[in-house]
Amino acid sequence: MSDTILSVKDLKVSFDTYAGEVQAVRGVSFDLKKGEVLAIVGESGCGKSVTAQTIMRLTPTPPSRIKSGSILFDGDIEITKLSDRQMEHIRGSEMGMIFQDPMTSLNPTMTVGKQITEGLRKHQRITGDAANKRALELLNLVGISNPESRILQYPHELSGGMRQRVMIAISLACNPKLLIADEPTTALDVTIQAQIIDLMKKLSEQTQASIIIITHDLGVVAEMAQRVIVMYAGKVVEQGTVDEVFYNPQHPYTWGLLRSIPRLDEMGGGDLVPIPGTPPDLFAPPKGCAFAARCPYAMQVCLEEDPDHTKLTADHSAACWLLHPDAPKVERPVEAGGRKHG
Amino acid sequence: MAEQPILQVRDMKKHFNVGGGRILKAVDSFSIDIARGETFGLVGESGCGKSTAGRTIIRLYNATSGQVLFNGEDIHKLSGKKLKQFNRNMQMVYQDPYASLNPRMTVGNIIAEGIDIHGLYTGAKRRARVMQLLSDVGLNEEHANRFPHEFSGGQRQRIGIARALAIEPQFIIADEPISALDVSVQAQVVNLFKKLQKDHGLTYLFIAHDLAMVKHISDRIGVMYLGNLVEVTSSQDLYAKPLHPYTESLLSAIPIPDPEIERRRERIILEGEVPSPLNPPSGCPFRTRCPKAMPECAAAKPVLKEVEPGHHVACHLY
């Protein structure tokens, strides 16, 4: 038996709009191991959320369309080929999702208890009493005190952190094998974010579910993930273990991300080094490397041909012409990666 | 004698009457001095009163009590011509670059609105000033005739900054100016703030919840909790030796983008959530979540006092 729970191969997703085709995801491949926490980072519009939603088949068709590629789940289930009905069976029972905004993703007209048991009643043949008992267990598990009174409350009666705990309880209800968390802490304050991250780390150890966490916060990545994928303009530009990507980054976009954020533990602190310009328009993606227009090291070849991934270690790879044997050697900027301590 | 601070806020309070005889104490105890040319960062979680404090300082709200002295003059007592003069000296940059620009005005007219209101320039001089401002914030001349929807978030924030600069203020309040922007663009805007400060000798009150960014840009930082300023010190000191238990836990909650440090780090995870400002706890506002709370914390509210040179804290431990 393989230890891979999810295998995405050359996934391409487009949106058909009145203005033309938006190529949101342009060839994404990665594997997720059982029990692993994988982070996908990138800026708005890089395709990270569309990738996640496509794995759960949550993007409606039309306007979205899976152009090509495969998503293999749990060995032999080809997600891209499933009917809506088959997908409905997997969603909620085999895969769970945690959304960014717990206020808009919970149903305001249903009690918390009802929302947790909804999935249980649908996917597992259990009685109402057993479902309620499980709901109480789940609320306990996600650290909500007085679950007996909470299950009778409505989302508006809960705070933001509480609502996110309820979302997590719902997504865990049927013991899913895969949990996708799309910016799960972005709408929360830092002290509440710390509580939720702490909870998710504990749960991933306890339940052995694989987690994909989508975020723009590199601090959250360093804290939670074992592996990380960096996306830019609908493609994966670099992937590897957190240590490889943070301490030995190879793609100039990863360097740019690491240099443009201030660190709480830096003393003195020089100027931040922003990435100049803005990401390309995905109505008409550039012919060569999508980052070339903003890249200080861009060469002629970068404008003409998109680089393939160069494999550096078992986990680490980057898509950049600088890694070609004939490319000039470029010194990585000091602020981008490298160990600061020990 | 030391130079008079450009801004002195003395025990400012802003209470809102929310009906039913209930009072929301959005800002309850707030005193700071800001020196000319300084960047003062104000941090805290949502609902702590940091934005209300900023808006009361610039008199978008009238203070319930207390004084706000700008160059020694109490701005909450000004009216007529003097108020207009003050408005020229203090300007604001807002959080949401989509909502804070009038979609029906061209960028040129948005930037020049203050110039027109204060009657500073007309005709060719007005035009030249707008062009100068556009280039100061890294936009170009042709942008003046376009409308806000044609710009990205980062560019819109530059327009908002140009508008604030148009009437040559001495003091700018920036309320979460970068939270709506992507990380790589945040750095562009922060560097612009720093450059403009150097070029124009500006003083900033920088309000944000992102402590790492605030620490990066600020000389001194004030931490707010539930309407109260609980700690004020230099930004280096705040990280190196936080005194207030809330500041300690806030710092410990922020993840650092370095996996090795994260693996070693011990977190102080606060229990529970911020109490309602409609019904704050007796005594110290933080005592219900404080890991070091003592009996006296419920009895009396601690006042902000200087415990080390330049380091102020409101806590019974000190």
Short mmCIF file of all heavy atoms in Angstrom, two decimals, chain A residues 43-44 159 189-191 193 195 198 219 222-223 243 246-247 260 262-268 270-272 274-275 277 294 339 341, chain B residues 45-46 182 184 187-188 191 194 212-213 215-216 236 239 250 253 255-263 267 269-270 272-273 289:
data_model
loop_
_atom_site.label_atom_id
_atom_site.label_comp_id
_atom_site.label_asym_id
_atom_site.label_seq_id
_atom_site.Cartn_x
_atom_site.Cartn_y
_atom_site.Cartn_z
N GLU A 43 0.61 34.79 -3.39
CA GLU A 43 -0.18 36.01 -3.21
C GLU A 43 -1.57 35.84 -3.81
O GLU A 43 -1.84 34.88 -4.52
CB GLU A 43 0.55 37.18 -3.86
CG GLU A 43 1.89 37.44 -3.22
CD GLU A 43 2.65 38.53 -3.94
OE1 GLU A 43 3.34 38.24 -4.91
OE2 GLU A 43 2.50 39.68 -3.53
N SER A 44 -2.44 36.84 -3.58
CA SER A 44 -3.79 36.75 -4.14
C SER A 44 -3.71 36.51 -5.64
O SER A 44 -2.91 37.12 -6.33
CB SER A 44 -4.58 38.04 -3.93
OG SER A 44 -4.09 38.79 -2.89
N SER A 159 -18.26 33.97 19.00
CA SER A 159 -17.20 34.87 18.52
C SER A 159 -16.51 34.24 17.31
O SER A 159 -16.72 33.07 17.00
CB SER A 159 -16.20 35.09 19.62
OG SER A 159 -15.54 33.88 19.89
N ASP A 189 -7.76 37.37 15.07
CA ASP A 189 -6.69 38.09 15.74
C ASP A 189 -5.56 37.15 16.12
O ASP A 189 -5.79 35.95 16.28
CB ASP A 189 -7.24 38.74 17.01
CG ASP A 189 -7.84 40.09 16.71
OD1 ASP A 189 -7.21 40.84 15.94
OD2 ASP A 189 -8.92 40.38 17.21
N VAL A 190 -4.35 37.69 16.32
CA VAL A 190 -3.19 36.81 16.54
C VAL A 190 -3.31 35.89 17.73
O VAL A 190 -2.90 34.74 17.65
CB VAL A 190 -1.83 37.55 16.64
CG1 VAL A 190 -1.29 37.83 15.28
CG2 VAL A 190 -1.93 38.77 17.49
N THR A 191 -3.87 36.38 18.84
CA THR A 191 -3.93 35.48 20.00
C THR A 191 -4.93 34.35 19.74
O THR A 191 -4.74 33.23 20.20
CB THR A 191 -4.31 36.22 21.30
OG1 THR A 191 -5.58 36.85 21.14
CG2 THR A 191 -3.29 37.27 21.66
N GLN A 193 -5.58 33.29 16.60
CA GLN A 193 -4.87 32.51 15.59
C GLN A 193 -3.97 31.47 16.25
O GLN A 193 -3.94 30.31 15.85
CB GLN A 193 -4.03 33.43 14.70
CG GLN A 193 -2.99 32.68 13.88
CD GLN A 193 -2.27 33.57 12.88
OE1 GLN A 193 -2.88 34.15 12.00
NE2 GLN A 193 -0.97 33.69 13.01
N GLN A 195 -4.38 30.09 19.13
CA GLN A 195 -5.22 29.01 19.68
C GLN A 195 -5.63 28.02 18.59
O GLN A 195 -5.56 26.81 18.78
CB GLN A 195 -6.51 29.59 20.30
CG GLN A 195 -6.31 30.45 21.53
CD GLN A 195 -7.60 31.11 22.00
OE1 GLN A 195 -8.64 30.99 21.36
NE2 GLN A 195 -7.55 31.80 23.12
N ASP A 198 -2.67 25.95 17.25
CA ASP A 198 -2.35 24.97 18.28
C ASP A 198 -3.32 23.79 18.20
O ASP A 198 -2.92 22.62 18.22
CB ASP A 198 -2.45 25.66 19.64
CG ASP A 198 -1.91 24.81 20.77
OD1 ASP A 198 -0.80 24.31 20.61
OD2 ASP A 198 -2.61 24.66 21.78
N GLY A 219 4.94 32.87 8.40
CA GLY A 219 5.08 32.48 9.80
C GLY A 219 4.23 31.27 10.11
O GLY A 219 4.68 30.33 10.77
N ALA A 222 5.87 28.17 8.68
CA ALA A 222 7.00 27.70 9.48
C ALA A 222 6.52 26.98 10.72
O ALA A 222 7.14 26.05 11.20
CB ALA A 222 7.91 28.88 9.85
N GLU A 223 5.39 27.43 11.25
CA GLU A 223 4.90 26.86 12.49
C GLU A 223 4.20 25.52 12.29
O GLU A 223 4.28 24.63 13.11
CB GLU A 223 3.94 27.85 13.15
CG GLU A 223 3.65 27.48 14.59
CD GLU A 223 2.63 28.40 15.22
OE1 GLU A 223 2.29 29.43 14.61
OE2 GLU A 223 2.17 28.08 16.32
N ASP A 243 12.32 23.26 5.80
CA ASP A 243 13.73 23.63 5.99
C ASP A 243 14.39 23.96 4.66
O ASP A 243 15.14 24.92 4.54
CB ASP A 243 14.50 22.51 6.69
CG ASP A 243 14.17 22.46 8.17
OD1 ASP A 243 12.99 22.66 8.50
OD2 ASP A 243 15.08 22.24 8.99
N PHE A 246 12.85 27.40 3.38
CA PHE A 246 13.20 28.57 4.18
C PHE A 246 14.71 28.80 4.25
O PHE A 246 15.17 29.93 4.29
CB PHE A 246 12.65 28.45 5.60
CG PHE A 246 11.19 28.84 5.71
CD1 PHE A 246 10.20 27.92 5.46
CD2 PHE A 246 10.83 30.14 6.05
CE1 PHE A 246 8.86 28.28 5.57
CE2 PHE A 246 9.51 30.52 6.15
CZ PHE A 246 8.51 29.58 5.90
N TYR A 247 15.51 27.72 4.28
CA TYR A 247 16.96 27.90 4.47
C TYR A 247 17.76 27.77 3.19
O TYR A 247 18.90 28.20 3.13
CB TYR A 247 17.48 26.89 5.50
CG TYR A 247 16.83 27.03 6.86
CD1 TYR A 247 16.33 25.94 7.53
CD2 TYR A 247 16.73 28.30 7.46
CE1 TYR A 247 15.72 26.09 8.77
CE2 TYR A 247 16.11 28.44 8.68
CZ TYR A 247 15.61 27.35 9.34
OH TYR A 247 15.01 27.50 10.55
N SER A 260 10.68 40.36 1.62
CA SER A 260 9.76 41.48 1.71
C SER A 260 8.98 41.50 3.03
O SER A 260 8.22 42.42 3.27
CB SER A 260 8.78 41.47 0.53
OG SER A 260 8.03 40.28 0.53
N PRO A 262 8.99 41.69 7.25
CA PRO A 262 9.84 41.97 8.41
C PRO A 262 9.71 40.82 9.40
O PRO A 262 8.70 40.12 9.42
CB PRO A 262 9.20 43.23 8.99
CG PRO A 262 7.77 43.14 8.60
CD PRO A 262 7.71 42.40 7.30
N ARG A 263 10.77 40.60 10.17
CA ARG A 263 10.69 39.55 11.19
C ARG A 263 10.66 40.19 12.56
O ARG A 263 11.41 41.11 12.84
CB ARG A 263 11.90 38.62 11.07
CG ARG A 263 11.82 37.69 9.90
CD ARG A 263 13.11 36.94 9.75
NE ARG A 263 13.46 36.23 10.98
CZ ARG A 263 13.98 35.01 10.98
NH1 ARG A 263 14.20 34.39 9.85
NH2 ARG A 263 14.29 34.43 12.11
N LEU A 264 9.81 39.61 13.41
CA LEU A 264 9.68 40.13 14.76
C LEU A 264 11.00 40.03 15.51
O LEU A 264 11.30 40.85 16.36
CB LEU A 264 8.60 39.31 15.46
CG LEU A 264 7.96 39.91 16.69
CD1 LEU A 264 7.37 41.27 16.38
CD2 LEU A 264 6.90 38.98 17.21
N ASP A 265 11.81 39.01 15.19
CA ASP A 265 13.01 38.78 15.97
C ASP A 265 14.24 39.45 15.37
O ASP A 265 15.34 39.21 15.83
CB ASP A 265 13.26 37.27 16.14
CG ASP A 265 13.42 36.56 14.81
OD1 ASP A 265 13.02 37.12 13.78
OD2 ASP A 265 13.94 35.43 14.79
N GLU A 266 14.05 40.28 14.34
CA GLU A 266 15.24 40.94 13.79
C GLU A 266 15.52 42.21 14.59
O GLU A 266 14.62 42.89 15.04
CB GLU A 266 15.06 41.27 12.30
CG GLU A 266 14.19 42.48 12.07
CD GLU A 266 13.75 42.65 10.63
OE1 GLU A 266 14.29 41.97 9.75
OE2 GLU A 266 12.84 43.45 10.41
N MET A 267 16.80 42.48 14.78
CA MET A 267 17.17 43.67 15.52
C MET A 267 17.69 44.70 14.54
O MET A 267 18.34 44.36 13.56
CB MET A 267 18.24 43.34 16.55
CG MET A 267 17.69 42.61 17.77
SD MET A 267 16.53 43.67 18.66
CE MET A 267 15.60 42.46 19.58
N GLY A 268 17.43 45.95 14.81
CA GLY A 268 17.87 46.99 13.88
C GLY A 268 16.98 46.98 12.67
O GLY A 268 16.03 47.71 12.58
N GLY A 270 17.14 46.60 8.41
CA GLY A 270 17.33 47.53 7.30
C GLY A 270 16.04 47.70 6.55
O GLY A 270 14.97 47.39 7.07
N ASP A 271 16.11 48.19 5.32
CA ASP A 271 14.92 48.35 4.52
C ASP A 271 14.40 46.98 4.08
O ASP A 271 15.17 46.05 3.89
CB ASP A 271 15.23 49.18 3.28
CG ASP A 271 15.04 50.66 3.57
OD1 ASP A 271 14.54 50.98 4.66
OD2 ASP A 271 15.38 51.47 2.70
N LEU A 272 13.10 46.91 3.92
CA LEU A 272 12.53 45.72 3.31
C LEU A 272 12.85 45.79 1.83
O LEU A 272 12.98 46.86 1.26
CB LEU A 272 11.02 45.69 3.50
CG LEU A 272 10.53 45.67 4.94
CD1 LEU A 272 9.03 45.80 4.96
CD2 LEU A 272 10.97 44.40 5.61
N PRO A 274 11.16 45.06 -1.46
CA PRO A 274 9.92 44.64 -2.10
C PRO A 274 10.19 43.99 -3.46
O PRO A 274 11.25 44.18 -4.04
CB PRO A 274 9.13 45.93 -2.28
CG PRO A 274 10.09 47.04 -2.08
CD PRO A 274 11.37 46.50 -1.54
N ILE A 275 9.21 43.21 -3.94
CA ILE A 275 9.28 42.71 -5.30
C ILE A 275 8.67 43.80 -6.17
O ILE A 275 7.52 44.19 -5.93
CB ILE A 275 8.48 41.40 -5.45
CG1 ILE A 275 8.96 40.37 -4.43
CG2 ILE A 275 8.59 40.86 -6.86
CD1 ILE A 275 8.10 39.12 -4.37
N GLY A 277 6.79 45.83 -9.18
CA GLY A 277 5.72 45.48 -10.12
C GLY A 277 4.61 44.64 -9.51
O GLY A 277 4.50 44.51 -8.30
N ARG A 294 9.30 40.58 -13.33
CA ARG A 294 9.60 41.17 -12.02
C ARG A 294 10.93 40.66 -11.47
O ARG A 294 11.32 41.00 -10.36
CB ARG A 294 8.50 40.81 -11.02
CG ARG A 294 7.11 41.27 -11.44
CD ARG A 294 6.04 40.74 -10.50
NE ARG A 294 6.00 41.50 -9.25
CZ ARG A 294 5.24 41.15 -8.21
NH1 ARG A 294 4.50 40.06 -8.27
NH2 ARG A 294 5.23 41.87 -7.11
N ARG A 339 20.35 30.14 7.75
CA ARG A 339 20.07 30.01 9.16
C ARG A 339 20.57 31.22 9.90
O ARG A 339 21.69 31.66 9.72
CB ARG A 339 20.75 28.76 9.72
CG ARG A 339 19.89 27.54 9.64
CD ARG A 339 20.75 26.30 9.57
NE ARG A 339 20.25 25.44 8.50
CZ ARG A 339 19.45 24.41 8.72
NH1 ARG A 339 19.09 24.09 9.93
NH2 ARG A 339 19.02 23.70 7.72
N HIS A 341 20.29 31.29 13.35
CA HIS A 341 20.74 30.83 14.66
C HIS A 341 21.28 29.41 14.53
O HIS A 341 20.60 28.55 13.99
CB HIS A 341 19.58 30.83 15.66
CG HIS A 341 18.91 32.17 15.76
ND1 HIS A 341 19.26 33.09 16.70
CD2 HIS A 341 17.96 32.73 14.99
CE1 HIS A 341 18.51 34.16 16.52
NE2 HIS A 341 17.72 33.98 15.50
N GLU B 45 -5.46 44.12 19.18
CA GLU B 45 -6.34 43.27 18.38
C GLU B 45 -7.62 44.02 18.02
O GLU B 45 -7.88 45.10 18.55
CB GLU B 45 -6.66 42.01 19.19
CG GLU B 45 -5.41 41.21 19.50
CD GLU B 45 -5.73 40.00 20.34
OE1 GLU B 45 -5.74 40.10 21.56
OE2 GLU B 45 -5.96 38.94 19.75
N SER B 46 -8.43 43.42 17.14
CA SER B 46 -9.65 44.11 16.73
C SER B 46 -10.50 44.48 17.94
O SER B 46 -10.61 43.70 18.88
CB SER B 46 -10.50 43.28 15.78
OG SER B 46 -10.00 41.99 15.63
N ASP B 182 -1.20 42.70 -0.59
CA ASP B 182 -0.40 41.47 -0.63
C ASP B 182 0.99 41.71 -0.05
O ASP B 182 1.50 42.83 -0.09
CB ASP B 182 -0.25 41.02 -2.08
CG ASP B 182 -1.22 39.90 -2.40
OD1 ASP B 182 -1.39 39.04 -1.53
OD2 ASP B 182 -1.78 39.90 -3.50
N SER B 184 4.13 41.22 -0.93
CA SER B 184 5.21 41.85 -1.68
C SER B 184 4.89 43.33 -1.91
O SER B 184 5.78 44.16 -2.03
CB SER B 184 5.43 41.13 -3.01
OG SER B 184 4.39 41.38 -3.90
N ALA B 187 5.54 45.68 1.36
CA ALA B 187 6.91 46.19 1.51
C ALA B 187 7.11 47.44 0.67
O ALA B 187 7.78 48.39 1.10
CB ALA B 187 7.91 45.10 1.14
N GLN B 188 6.54 47.47 -0.54
CA GLN B 188 6.67 48.67 -1.38
C GLN B 188 6.08 49.88 -0.67
O GLN B 188 6.68 50.96 -0.64
CB GLN B 188 5.90 48.48 -2.71
CG GLN B 188 6.45 47.41 -3.63
CD GLN B 188 5.57 47.22 -4.88
OE1 GLN B 188 4.63 47.95 -5.12
NE2 GLN B 188 5.90 46.21 -5.68
N ASN B 191 8.10 50.99 2.47
CA ASN B 191 9.31 51.72 2.08
C ASN B 191 8.97 53.13 1.60
O ASN B 191 9.71 54.08 1.85
CB ASN B 191 10.06 50.96 0.99
CG ASN B 191 10.82 49.76 1.54
OD1 ASN B 191 10.87 49.56 2.74
ND2 ASN B 191 11.41 48.97 0.66
N LYS B 194 8.50 55.33 4.60
CA LYS B 194 9.79 55.69 5.19
C LYS B 194 10.49 56.77 4.38
O LYS B 194 11.06 57.72 4.94
CB LYS B 194 10.70 54.45 5.24
CG LYS B 194 10.39 53.50 6.36
CD LYS B 194 11.38 52.36 6.30
CE LYS B 194 11.75 51.84 7.67
NZ LYS B 194 12.75 50.74 7.54
N ALA B 212 4.88 42.64 13.65
CA ALA B 212 6.20 42.58 13.01
C ALA B 212 6.41 43.80 12.11
O ALA B 212 7.49 44.40 12.11
CB ALA B 212 6.33 41.29 12.21
N MET B 213 5.38 44.17 11.35
CA MET B 213 5.50 45.33 10.48
C MET B 213 5.58 46.63 11.28
O MET B 213 6.37 47.52 10.98
CB MET B 213 4.32 45.36 9.50
CG MET B 213 4.51 46.25 8.31
SD MET B 213 5.99 45.89 7.34
CE MET B 213 5.33 44.93 5.98
N LYS B 215 6.74 46.99 14.28
CA LYS B 215 8.05 47.04 14.90
C LYS B 215 9.09 47.50 13.87
O LYS B 215 9.99 48.27 14.18
CB LYS B 215 8.42 45.67 15.45
CG LYS B 215 9.83 45.59 15.99
CD LYS B 215 10.04 44.30 16.75
CE LYS B 215 11.51 44.10 17.06
NZ LYS B 215 12.28 43.61 15.91
N HIS B 216 8.92 47.03 12.64
CA HIS B 216 9.87 47.39 11.59
C HIS B 216 9.87 48.89 11.31
O HIS B 216 10.90 49.50 11.14
CB HIS B 216 9.54 46.62 10.32
CG HIS B 216 10.41 46.98 9.17
ND1 HIS B 216 11.67 46.45 9.00
CD2 HIS B 216 10.24 47.85 8.16
CE1 HIS B 216 12.22 46.97 7.94
NE2 HIS B 216 11.37 47.82 7.40
N GLN B 236 12.48 48.35 19.96
CA GLN B 236 13.47 47.32 20.30
C GLN B 236 13.20 46.73 21.68
O GLN B 236 13.22 45.52 21.86
CB GLN B 236 14.90 47.89 20.27
CG GLN B 236 15.36 48.38 18.92
CD GLN B 236 15.32 47.30 17.85
OE1 GLN B 236 15.25 46.11 18.13
NE2 GLN B 236 15.33 47.71 16.59
N TYR B 239 10.17 44.21 22.04
CA TYR B 239 10.42 42.82 21.71
C TYR B 239 11.40 42.18 22.69
O TYR B 239 11.22 41.05 23.11
CB TYR B 239 10.95 42.71 20.27
CG TYR B 239 11.23 41.28 19.91
CD1 TYR B 239 10.19 40.39 19.67
CD2 TYR B 239 12.54 40.79 19.89
CE1 TYR B 239 10.43 39.06 19.38
CE2 TYR B 239 12.79 39.46 19.61
CZ TYR B 239 11.74 38.60 19.35
OH TYR B 239 11.98 37.29 19.08
N LEU B 250 1.08 38.44 23.35
CA LEU B 250 0.88 38.90 21.97
C LEU B 250 2.12 38.58 21.14
O LEU B 250 2.04 38.04 20.04
CB LEU B 250 0.62 40.41 21.99
CG LEU B 250 0.07 41.07 20.74
CD1 LEU B 250 -1.31 40.51 20.41
CD2 LEU B 250 -0.04 42.58 20.93
N ALA B 253 2.46 34.94 20.42
CA ALA B 253 1.45 34.36 19.51
C ALA B 253 1.84 34.53 18.05
O ALA B 253 1.30 33.84 17.19
CB ALA B 253 0.10 35.01 19.76
N PRO B 255 3.70 33.98 14.79
CA PRO B 255 4.65 33.01 14.27
C PRO B 255 5.79 33.69 13.50
O PRO B 255 5.58 34.68 12.81
CB PRO B 255 3.81 32.14 13.33
CG PRO B 255 2.56 32.89 13.06
CD PRO B 255 2.41 33.96 14.09
N ILE B 256 6.99 33.16 13.66
CA ILE B 256 8.16 33.73 12.99
C ILE B 256 8.49 32.86 11.78
O ILE B 256 8.50 31.63 11.88
CB ILE B 256 9.35 33.80 13.98
CG1 ILE B 256 9.04 34.87 15.04
CG2 ILE B 256 10.66 34.13 13.27
CD1 ILE B 256 10.05 34.96 16.14
N PRO B 257 8.73 33.48 10.61
CA PRO B 257 8.98 32.68 9.41
C PRO B 257 10.34 32.00 9.43
O PRO B 257 11.23 32.30 8.64
CB PRO B 257 8.86 33.70 8.27
CG PRO B 257 9.11 35.02 8.90
CD PRO B 257 8.68 34.92 10.32
N ASP B 258 10.54 31.11 10.35
CA ASP B 258 11.79 30.39 10.49
C ASP B 258 11.47 29.06 11.18
O ASP B 258 11.19 29.03 12.37
CB ASP B 258 12.77 31.22 11.34
CG ASP B 258 14.17 30.63 11.32
OD1 ASP B 258 14.29 29.39 11.31
OD2 ASP B 258 15.13 31.41 11.34
N PRO B 259 11.45 27.95 10.42
CA PRO B 259 10.98 26.68 10.98
C PRO B 259 11.74 26.23 12.21
O PRO B 259 11.15 25.69 13.15
CB PRO B 259 11.19 25.68 9.84
CG PRO B 259 11.41 26.47 8.60
CD PRO B 259 11.85 27.84 9.00
N GLU B 260 13.06 26.46 12.25
CA GLU B 260 13.84 25.97 13.38
C GLU B 260 13.45 26.68 14.67
O GLU B 260 13.30 26.07 15.72
CB GLU B 260 15.32 26.19 13.11
CG GLU B 260 16.16 25.00 13.45
CD GLU B 260 17.53 25.12 12.81
OE1 GLU B 260 18.29 25.99 13.26
OE2 GLU B 260 17.79 24.38 11.85
N ILE B 261 13.29 28.01 14.56
CA ILE B 261 12.88 28.78 15.74
C ILE B 261 11.49 28.34 16.18
O ILE B 261 11.22 28.16 17.36
CB ILE B 261 12.90 30.29 15.41
CG1 ILE B 261 14.34 30.73 15.20
CG2 ILE B 261 12.23 31.09 16.51
CD1 ILE B 261 14.50 32.17 14.88
N GLU B 262 10.60 28.12 15.21
CA GLU B 262 9.25 27.72 15.55
C GLU B 262 9.22 26.37 16.28
O GLU B 262 8.41 26.16 17.16
CB GLU B 262 8.38 27.65 14.29
CG GLU B 262 7.89 29.00 13.81
CD GLU B 262 7.09 29.76 14.87
OE1 GLU B 262 6.31 29.12 15.59
OE2 GLU B 262 7.26 30.98 14.98
N ARG B 263 10.11 25.46 15.91
CA ARG B 263 10.11 24.15 16.56
C ARG B 263 10.55 24.26 18.02
O ARG B 263 10.13 23.50 18.87
CB ARG B 263 11.06 23.21 15.81
CG ARG B 263 10.33 22.31 14.83
CD ARG B 263 11.30 21.54 13.98
NE ARG B 263 11.15 21.93 12.61
CZ ARG B 263 12.13 22.03 11.72
NH1 ARG B 263 13.36 21.76 12.05
NH2 ARG B 263 11.88 22.40 10.50
N ARG B 267 5.15 28.59 23.43
CA ARG B 267 4.12 29.62 23.27
C ARG B 267 3.36 29.85 24.56
O ARG B 267 3.07 28.92 25.28
CB ARG B 267 3.10 29.17 22.23
CG ARG B 267 3.47 29.54 20.88
CD ARG B 267 2.36 29.92 19.98
NE ARG B 267 3.00 30.77 19.01
CZ ARG B 267 3.83 30.28 18.11
NH1 ARG B 267 4.07 29.01 18.04
NH2 ARG B 267 4.42 31.10 17.29
N ILE B 269 -0.17 30.56 25.27
CA ILE B 269 -1.45 30.65 24.57
C ILE B 269 -2.50 31.17 25.53
O ILE B 269 -2.76 30.57 26.57
CB ILE B 269 -1.84 29.31 23.93
CG1 ILE B 269 -0.81 29.05 22.82
CG2 ILE B 269 -3.25 29.34 23.37
CD1 ILE B 269 -1.16 27.98 21.86
N LEU B 270 -3.05 32.34 25.20
CA LEU B 270 -4.06 32.95 26.05
C LEU B 270 -5.34 32.15 25.98
O LEU B 270 -5.73 31.69 24.93
CB LEU B 270 -4.36 34.37 25.58
CG LEU B 270 -3.33 35.43 25.90
CD1 LEU B 270 -3.85 36.76 25.41
CD2 LEU B 270 -3.06 35.49 27.39
N GLY B 272 -9.46 31.91 26.27
CA GLY B 272 -10.63 32.76 26.13
C GLY B 272 -10.44 33.89 25.15
O GLY B 272 -9.50 33.92 24.36
N GLU B 273 -11.34 34.83 25.20
CA GLU B 273 -11.35 35.93 24.23
C GLU B 273 -11.47 37.26 24.95
O GLU B 273 -11.72 37.30 26.15
CB GLU B 273 -12.53 35.73 23.28
CG GLU B 273 -12.69 34.26 22.95
CD GLU B 273 -13.23 34.03 21.57
OE1 GLU B 273 -13.69 34.98 20.94
OE2 GLU B 273 -13.19 32.87 21.14
N ARG B 289 -7.90 37.15 31.47
CA ARG B 289 -7.12 36.23 30.64
C ARG B 289 -5.66 36.17 31.08
O ARG B 289 -4.86 35.49 30.46
CB ARG B 289 -7.15 36.70 29.18
CG ARG B 289 -8.54 36.71 28.58
CD ARG B 289 -8.52 37.37 27.22
NE ARG B 289 -8.08 36.49 26.16
CZ ARG B 289 -7.70 36.90 24.96
NH1 ARG B 289 -7.67 38.18 24.68
NH2 ARG B 289 -7.33 36.05 24.04
#
